[in-house]
Amino acid sequence: MRYSGFRVIKEALTGHKGWKPIWRNPDPQPAYDYIIVGGGGHGLATAYYLANSFRQSRIAVLEKGWLGSGNIGRNTTIIRSNYMLPGNEPFYEFSMKLWEGLEQEFNFNAMVSQRGILNLIHSDGQRDAYRRRGNAMLLAGADAELLDQDGVRAMYPWLNFDNARFPIKGGLLQRRAGTARHDGVAWGYARGADLAGVDLIQNCEVTGFQIENGRVRGVETSRGTIMAGKVGVAVAGSSGRVMGLAGMRLPIESHVLQAFVSEGLKPVIDGVITFGAGHFYVSQSDKGGLVFGGDIDGYNSYAQRGNMAVIEDVAQGGMALMPMIGRARLLRAWGGIMDMSMDGTPIIDRTPVEGLYLNAGWCYGGFKATPASGYAFAHLMATDTPHETARFMRLDRFERGYPIDEKGMGATPNLH
Amino acid sequence: MLIPHPLLGLRDSSEFTYLGDAKLLDRPDGMAPDAAARFHEYVHLRDNPAGIHRELWFHEQGDRSWLVVTRNTLTHEILGAELARDARKGGAA
């Protein structure tokens, strides 16, 4: 079933009786060539590209809950490629390019909207840092513009320019950045994978790995043993737990990150604004709610809920930047579990177990990476060589002394 | 979260700075022949348990003591706290 304008009109005229479920709900087969553990954005994208770009057969995605029930279902939906380091920026720009063609490719409306992201500048030092970052982005083929204060005023005249502590002096703008509909991304990849013959198996929790002579043979699940030639793990906040089943310790701590949505307001923010000095970022959904967040809570957590102190801190950041939201009501807040890696950068690599692959450590930036993460992980699993843009994202980089420390914070996951 | 400080009683967790796994008290011997490998494990690798976790909290906004706090990472329930200098290295709280 393909979507088109014609199809939408036809269904509208015939009472919407022709829509069908967009993926099958199969029982697991006894064996597959490829198993992806984790039916979130990255797992589904991996299966999609394995089936469509690398033409691999007999693929299954195992998800312990329902598809897209993890972090892809609870995030602030920002897509961007404003990174700096050589190990990062080409990868995120590759992701940005995939976003731009995504909806045409998988014939599903993921509501990709290139509204622009503006990183505000509050000091001369920050301007220098952002000028350098912008140049790094341009060198990697991305787009970047440095705005002065008048440039920012023209976009968002209501910002608090005269904040005594953090006056706004300009901004780094990436116009091609923006937002996408997070559930739509998961559903689009799920549908695309299903159409290519991937078995999407829900309510199937992986409880162990079958490993013989250092090689993975399959997985134990709540629905029985499933054999596989290659197993890829993409389980976000559960990476530590799942890889522990294979006897591995990871350079990862699980932390909780909260995000927030206000009541519906009139359109005021057409893009994404970040306030790095206070750590607050905000965009406005198509329904009018302000979608915003800030720092992680900063301690190990699997609770999927945060604490009031961070809510207060984020609200203060918002008030400092845009005092006019002071009387807006907070509609909802939620906490997702991030696997914070020691340098703030993800891991897409083989593991010491032959045939077992790891896609982890996305900290709180996994959403924007969904297409490139899936493509690079599929590339790695299909060819056993890293994708060109992900070749620095090694599991052993800490041991070898090659961390990708974008924030310059060292081995401190609670600070990222 | 309220942390039961052994000297000061219940204190709000926002007065503290978090460092992570209390195993960081067990610093490897830098002169050992396998020091590089052990420091890699010490600095970078984590057990990251879902459940009971012993961890270091620094009372930065208070008496500047280091505590070992035992906490459930699934529920945020705090089961106990002791001064780090009293905590038996690597042992149970």
Side-chain angles (χ1 to χ4, degrees), chain A residues 220-280:
Chain A
E220 307 286 349
T221 77
S222 56
R223 296 176 69 173
T225 302
I226 306 174
M227 307 307 282
K230 292 181 174 180
V231 178
V233 176
V235 294
S238 299
S239 298
R241 276 195 283 192
V242 172
M243 295 312 284
L245 298 174
M248 287 177 59
R249 289 176 88 209
L250 298 181
I252 283 173
E253 287 180 0
S254 294
H255 286 248
V256 62
L257 174 69
Q258 300 188 67
F260 310 90
V261 178
S262 79
E263 61 187 323
L265 303 169
K266 287 184 178 179
V268 61
I269 304 174
D270 58 357
V272 182
I273 304 172
T274 78
F275 172 41
H279 206 179
F280 172 84

Side-chain angles (χ1 to χ4, degrees), chain A residues 94-366:
Chain A
F94 174 52
S95 200
M96 200 64 232
K97 290 199 170 78
L98 289 174
W99 280 115
E100 288 173 325
L102 188 65
E103 294 160 312
Q104 294 301 317
E105 184 183 329
F106 65 26
N107 178 236
F108 196 85
N109 183 8
M111 293 168 68
V112 174
S113 172
Q114 293 179 288
R115 311 145 171 242
I117 186 167
L118 178 68
N119 306 122
L120 295 174
I121 294 168
H122 309 282
S123 67
D124 293 341
Q126 211 176 10
R127 182 186 295 111
D128 291 345
Y130 275 141
R131 188 188 298 276
R132 181 180 171 215
R133 178 175 295 262
N135 285 335
M137 291 161 63
L138 293 173
L139 284 170
D143 63 309
E145 290 168 47
L146 200 66
L147 301 185
D148 59 10
Q149 196 195 56
D150 289 341
V152 176
R153 265 188 208 279
M155 291 180 75
Y156 302 114
W158 41 263
L159 285 172
N160 187 8
F161 286 87
D162 302 321
N163 184 314
R165 198 165 162 208
F166 299 117
I168 294 169
K169 297 190 165 190
L172 179 68
L173 177 65
Q174 185 183 23
R175 289 192 193 274
R176 286 164 60 241
T179 60
R181 171 88 164 91
H182 52 326
D183 290 325
V185 176
W187 298 334
Y189 275 123
R191 171 176 169 271
D194 181 84
L195 285 173
V198 174
D199 281 357
L200 305 174
I201 299 160
Q202 307 183 66
N203 300 309
C204 179
E205 181 174 2
V206 169
T207 55
F209 293 91
Q210 288 209 352
I211 297 169
E212 283 173 25
N213 301 322
R215 179 169 180 82
V216 73
R217 297 288 176 200
V219 293
E220 307 286 349
T221 77
S222 56
R223 296 176 69 173
T225 302
I226 306 174
M227 307 307 282
K230 292 181 174 180
V231 178
V233 176
V235 294
S238 299
S239 298
R241 276 195 283 192
V242 172
M243 295 312 284
L245 298 174
M248 287 177 59
R249 289 176 88 209
L250 298 181
I252 283 173
E253 287 180 0
S254 294
H255 286 248
V256 62
L257 174 69
Q258 300 188 67
F260 310 90
V261 178
S262 79
E263 61 187 323
L265 303 169
K266 287 184 178 179
V268 61
I269 304 174
D270 58 357
V272 182
I273 304 172
T274 78
F275 172 41
H279 206 179
F280 172 84
Y281 58 92
V282 62
S283 63
Q284 191 167 17
S285 79
D286 294 347
K287 288 186 283 188
L290 298 179
V291 182
F292 56 94
D295 280 314
I296 59 173
D297 278 34
Y299 43 83
N300 290 42
S301 174
Y302 286 94
Q304 296 194 338
R305 66 172 181 80
N307 267 311
M308 288 301 287
V310 170
I311 298 179
E312 188 178 5
D313 181 64
V314 172
Q316 285 170 349
M319 283 294 289
L321 189 66
M322 35 196 299
M324 66 182 184
I325 63 170
R327 298 185 66 182
R329 286 165 207 273
L330 200 59
L331 205 62
R332 47 183 201 276
W334 67 95
I337 303 307
M338 323 282 122
D339 40 351
M340 304 300 294
S341 67
M342 289 292 153
D343 59 357
T345 298
I347 295 155
I348 301 176
D349 202 359
R350 293 188 280 188
T351 70
V353 178
E354 189 74 21
L356 182 61
Y357 302 80
L358 177 64
N359 179 331
W362 291 97
C363 302
Y364 47 73

